[in-house]
Amino acid sequence: MKFDLIIQGPLDKTSIEKVDDVSDQFENVIISHWSENDSSLLEGISSKNVSVCAQPTPDRSKTVGVMKDSTFFYSISSTYLGLQKCESEYVVKMRGDEIYTDFLPLKERFLQDTGKFVFGNIFAKPWSQTEYHIGDHLFAARTELLTKCYEMLYKIYTRKGNLVKDSWAIQGYPSHQTAETILAKSFIKARNIPKQEWSKFATFKNNFDVVDICSLGLYVANWKHGNTVYSSKNNPFEWPIKTLEDMR
């Protein structure tokens, strides 16, 4: 089964210095970043299956439906550009300020049901606390479905959608919707799940799965707002959610 990898966000040595080491786990690796970034960081990459795409950093003041101090629209924009460059049926998305060295457990979990969205457990929350609060740092999905998700969100937030009809996509409203919950809802909408089914845990269980990032070899994960770095060598605590049943 063929997978592409999207590394999205500002260029960061964390992923760039390891991209050659992980590139053989994918058909193609797409680095999607901002054209203002220092492109000299890319000069040491030698793998032939690594490509780069860039765009100017988006102007959040021109968006609607997303918080102006949130990085969510940045993530939407850089991931969407990367998805348009994907050639494989399946895709893994990760952030540029993170790295994972063994993607096999994620791929194996995903291949059990390729219709699902399989996410890393970092920052995932129980359904009883917040419905659809997945981890959005690392995940795998069908390229076609994920592209549909991101195109939908990009159009909504750039005034080409309908916020009245798509109120589920408004960040911070209702019920303090987060980027993670909105991304998850965009996936079930892309799968044409009827709206009346969204509030059921069974719907969540049928469309999502989770993998423990501690199973993905040596890793570095970042919580920028909390100024905290998690890694296989320095993990402040074990993420409590290991399986989807832990999210009930």
Side-chain angles (χ1 to χ4, degrees):
M1 300 294 182
K2 295 182 177 181
F3 287 80
D4 285 351
L5 173 66
I6 295 173
I7 302 175
Q8 59 83 206
L11 294 179
D12 193 295
K13 290 182 179 180
T14 305
S15 58
I16 292 172
E17 290 181 349
K18 297 292 185 181
V19 70
D20 284 330
D21 296 337
V22 303
S23 63
D24 62 350
Q25 299 180 52
F26 298 93
E27 293 297 312
N28 304 287
V29 177
I30 301 102
I31 299 174
S32 177
H33 70 99
W34 311 125
S35 51
E36 297 90 343
N37 294 164
D38 179 7
S39 59
S40 67
L41 292 171
L42 301 165
E43 292 175 358
I45 297 174
S46 60
S47 299
K48 302 299 183 183
N49 64 334
V50 177
S51 62
V52 178
C53 54
Q55 62 184 309
T57 304
D59 184 353
R60 290 181 296 187
S61 69
K62 297 180 180 179
T63 62
V64 294
V66 281
M67 295 176 178
K68 306 305 182 188
D69 60 349
S70 166
T71 59
F72 186 36
F73 187 67
Y74 290 160
S75 175
I76 294 294
S77 299
S78 58
T79 304
Y80 182 41
L81 178 61
L83 282 165
Q84 294 173 70
K85 308 296 182 182
C86 285
E87 299 176 0
S88 296
E89 185 176 5
Y90 308 128
V91 61
V92 172
K93 194 281 309 188
M94 60 173 274
R95 292 174 18 156
D97 61 352
E98 300 187 348
I99 191 64
Y100 306 87
T101 55
D102 182 6
F103 291 90
L104 184 59
L106 173 62
K107 292 179 181 179
E108 289 179 336
R109 182 65 56 84
F110 171 73
L111 290 172
Q112 292 175 11
D113 185 342
T114 60
K116 288 186 175 182
F117 181 114
V118 180
F119 56 90
N121 62 342
I122 183 171
F123 301 126
K125 294 182 180 180
W127 182 268
S128 57
Q129 181 179 342
T130 307
E131 295 180 2
Y132 289 102
H133 199 294
I134 61 173
D136 65 348
H137 286 220
L138 172 76
F139 49 80
R142 296 181 71 94
T143 304
E144 181 182 7
L145 268 175
L146 203 59
T147 302
K148 187 175 179 181
C149 292
Y150 277 87
E151 181 177 42
M152 186 189 321
L153 292 172
Y154 186 83
K155 286 183 176 179
I156 289 171
Y157 297 144
T158 54
R159 304 175 187 269
K160 298 172 185 175
N162 187 334
L163 274 180
V164 174
K165 182 181 68 174
D166 296 318
S167 60
W168 57 270
I170 300 176
Q171 193 176 11
Y173 174 86
S175 302
H176 308 288
Q177 284 194 121
T178 64
E180 294 90 346
T181 60
I182 292 170
L183 178 59
K185 289 176 181 178
S186 76
F187 185 75
I188 58 171
K189 186 171 177 62
R191 293 202 73 186
N192 298 314
I193 307 297
K195 194 73 175 287
Q196 61 268 26
E197 300 294 318
W198 288 21
S199 62
K200 300 176 182 178
F201 183 79
T203 300
F204 179 65
K205 186 176 180 180
N206 290 338
N207 290 278
F208 296 88
D209 207 345
V210 61
V211 67
D212 186 358
I213 65 169
C214 294
S215 70
L216 304 178
L218 299 178
Y219 74 87
V220 175
N222 260 294
W223 179 25
K224 287 293 190 183
H225 290 297
N227 196 30
T228 303
V229 177
Y230 305 95
S231 75
S232 45
K233 297 180 180 179
N234 177 33
N235 191 354
F237 63 94
E238 289 285 318
W239 300 103
I241 292 171
K242 309 292 186 187
T243 70
L244 215 62
E245 284 302 316
D246 294 333
M247 294 187 70
R248 277 194 182 274

